């Protein structure tokens, strides 16, 4: 049976946190070990520059994300792990697709529309204030990412479903006009949990409520101590519903451990104690990976070499496909 090809990109802004781990990284790494699946995972650094114009931050985030995925045990034999900017066929295909994409389709993209609406809400402001062409055409670059490798299943968060549907539309249009070229991709909404952050809202860099994944063990405890709880005293029974702490516990616990904590809540565990136990639970799951992470971060030559190897593997797929695309659109040797 042919393997199903999974492909997903990670925008290289920010430091990986527990929410990223539980929601995306852990399930993706599990999938990379499944023999029925072929995974393409990449660092979307050309996507990162849409919003972030700080070169140091881009480079640092790329290091941290690469080191995180490798440290957590991505199966390098069964997957292709690369940096978008190392695959020049992606931006090249992106231009070709740009020429096949209706502007009206891009007008409908939620991210762009949202930015316009925010502007319009401010009286007298230009609707396109602060909106770059990069933001506007972002879904086309994302389509090129997917289509160049024939990605079939695209694990994404809910906010990205529309972009995958656009990639599908663009692929169909190209296939219709120039002949069968691209596989039609399909979004799969991650089976990972959506984790709450320190303040009880969704854990997200933009809310500043994250718990970084690979801080030192001591800093991890400090972050955990900041998880919002209530004023119930030790001995007071506590409710697991609406408890951020319990929810995070659950994301790391097996059934038995979940039941254990449920009982602890009912019998009035002190918040301080629960936070200590949560720290121990998480630390147990990630401490070996943390060592490997630190090793990569101290050996950036190795990290760079690993990415370049991944790019070579990736390009063994992207080069022939781009050659085919160029041929189909009539960009070819004059005597051919
Ligand atoms: N836009 C995605 C995000 O912000 C990241 C991304 C870039 C991506 N290219 C992709 C995801 C291709 C899936 C497939 O989350």
């Amino acid at each position: 049976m042919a393997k199903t090809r999974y492909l997903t990109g990670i925008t290289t802004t920010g430091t990986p946190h527990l929410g990223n781990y539980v929601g995306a990284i852990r399930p993706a790494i599990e999938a990379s070990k499944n023999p029925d699946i072929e995974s393409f995972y990449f660092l979307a650094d050309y996507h990162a520059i849409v919003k972030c114009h700080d070169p140091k931050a881009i480079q640092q985030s790329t290091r941290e994300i690469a080191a995180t995925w490798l440290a957590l045990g991505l199966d390098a034999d069964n997957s292709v792990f690369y940096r978008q900017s190392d695959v020049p066929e992606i931006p090249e295909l992106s231009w070709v697709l740009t020429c096949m994409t209706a502007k009206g389709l891009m007008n409908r993209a939620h991210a762009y529309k949202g930015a316009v609406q925010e502007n319009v809400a401010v009286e007298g402001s230009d609707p396109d204030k602060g909106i770059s062409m990069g933001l506007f055409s972002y879904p086309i670059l994302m389509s090129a990412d997917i289509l160049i490798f024939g990605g079939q299943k695209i694990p994404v968060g809910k906010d990205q479903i529309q972009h995958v549907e656009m990639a599908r539309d663009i692929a169909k249009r190209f296939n219709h006009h120039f002949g069968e070229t691209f596989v039609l991709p399909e979004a799969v909404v991650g089976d990972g949990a959506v984790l709450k952050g320190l303040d009880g809202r969704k854990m997200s860099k933009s809310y500043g409520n994250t718990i970084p994944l690979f801080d030192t063990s001591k800093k991890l405890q400090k972050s955990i101590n900041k998880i919002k709880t209530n004023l119930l005293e030790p001995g007071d029974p506590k409710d697991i519903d609406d408890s951020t702490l319990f929810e995070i516990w659950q994301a790391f616990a097996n059934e038995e451990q979940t039941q254990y904590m449920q009982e602890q809540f009912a019998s009035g565990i002190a918040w301080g104690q629960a936070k200590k136990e949560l720290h121990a639970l998480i630390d147990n799951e990630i401490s070996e990976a943390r060592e490997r992470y630190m090793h990569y971060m101290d050996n950036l030559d190795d990290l760079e070499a690993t990415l370049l190897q991944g790019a070579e593997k990736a390009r063994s797929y992207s080069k022939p496909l781009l050659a085919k695309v160029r041929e189909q659109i009539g960009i070819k040797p004059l005597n051919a």
Side-chain angles (χ1 to χ4, degrees):
M1 200 186 74
K3 292 188 182 200
T4 305
R5 190 168 294 176
Y6 278 65
L7 178 145
T8 200
I10 313 107
T11 306
T12 54
T13 47
T15 294
H17 54 70
L18 292 188
N20 299 139
Y21 173 68
V22 168
I25 309 174
R26 193 170 58 184
I29 287 178
E30 276 314 305
S32 81
K33 296 176 181 153
N34 179 340
D36 298 330
I37 288 180
E38 193 178 16
S39 332
F40 283 64
Y41 297 136
F42 69 96
L43 306 161
D45 49 356
Y46 276 142
H47 281 271
I49 62 166
V50 169
K51 283 203 191 128
C52 174
H53 298 160
D54 174 349
K56 282 213 174 79
I58 295 281
Q59 187 191 34
Q60 183 59 15
S61 172
T62 308
R63 287 172 178 153
E64 290 176 356
I65 296 174
T68 296
W69 281 69
L70 294 169
L72 287 166
L74 182 71
D75 182 344
D77 295 326
N78 203 31
S79 63
V80 189
F81 186 60
Y82 55 99
R83 177 171 45 195
Q84 183 184 34
S85 58
D86 287 332
V87 182
E89 292 75 26
I90 296 172
E92 197 171 335
L93 177 62
S94 184
W95 175 253
V96 175
L97 299 179
T98 298
C99 298
M100 290 304 288
T101 303
K103 175 172 176 287
L105 183 69
M106 292 301 99
N107 287 342
R108 289 195 286 280
H110 299 315
Y112 166 71
K113 270 191 0 196
V116 171
Q117 264 157 16
E118 266 178 44
N119 282 336
V120 170
V122 182
E123 212 185 323
S125 102
D126 172 0
D128 281 329
K129 182 164 179 258
I131 299 177
S132 68
M133 286 305 295
L135 178 66
F136 186 66
S137 359
Y138 183 107
I140 306 179
L141 179 58
M142 185 160 157
S143 302
D145 291 331
I146 297 171
L147 301 180
I148 195 93
F149 294 114
Q152 294 170 291
K153 303 274 181 190
I154 315 300
V156 283
K158 281 205 190 82
D159 60 323
Q160 299 290 321
I161 297 174
Q162 188 199 28
H163 294 155
V164 179
E165 283 166 358
M166 288 175 160
R168 195 180 168 88
D169 285 349
I170 294 170
K172 269 192 196 158
R173 187 165 168 152
F174 188 100
N175 287 351
H176 183 73
H177 192 87
F178 292 110
E180 272 321 296
T181 308
F182 297 124
V183 173
L184 302 184
E186 209 180 302
V188 286
V189 178
D191 47 4
V194 174
L195 214 59
K196 286 185 186 149
L198 298 175
D199 58 359
R201 290 185 292 172
K202 178 186 166 188
M203 192 180 290
S204 158
K205 187 180 72 114
S206 37
Y207 293 147
N209 64 356
T210 65
I211 301 177
L213 180 57
F214 288 137
D215 258 348
T216 60
S217 180
K218 218 169 154 185
K219 282 197 189 152
L220 177 63
Q221 179 72 71
K222 273 195 174 165
S223 297
I224 288 173
N225 290 344
K226 288 188 209 142
I227 297 171
K228 196 171 139 200
T229 51
N230 55 28
L231 295 172
L232 290 173
E233 301 278 347
D236 294 342
K238 296 173 175 72
D239 196 355
I240 57 167
D241 299 329
D242 291 333
S243 165
T244 301
L245 199 150
F246 186 79
E247 201 188 81
I248 299 178
W249 175 274
Q250 218 172 356
F252 286 86
N254 60 27
E255 249 170 71
E256 211 177 297
Q257 290 163 325
T258 300
Q259 203 185 344
Y260 160 81
M261 191 47 79
Q262 199 165 353
E263 286 158 14
Q264 294 297 305
F265 266 55
S267 61
I269 188 173
W271 287 125
Q273 180 61 23
K275 286 176 173 178
K276 265 196 204 140
E277 295 190 21
L278 177 60
H279 171 258
L281 182 73
I282 297 178
D283 215 45
N284 183 46
E285 180 163 330
I286 67 169
S287 63
E288 278 176 30
R290 182 197 288 127
E291 293 296 314
R292 289 192 291 267
Y293 174 83
M294 298 298 178
H295 180 82
Y296 275 118
M297 292 303 278
D298 287 337
N299 293 276
L300 294 173
D301 291 348
D302 288 356
L303 194 57
E304 179 66 22
T306 305
L307 287 184
L308 292 180
Q309 268 171 21
E312 218 173 291
K313 203 163 160 187
R315 292 190 74 196
S316 71
Y317 295 85
S318 59
K319 282 191 219 168
L321 189 74
L322 187 73
K324 178 172 178 193
V325 166
R326 287 175 58 143
E327 166 97 25
Q328 272 165 303
I329 61 178
I331 295 198
K332 53 179 168 181
L334 299 184
N335 55 354

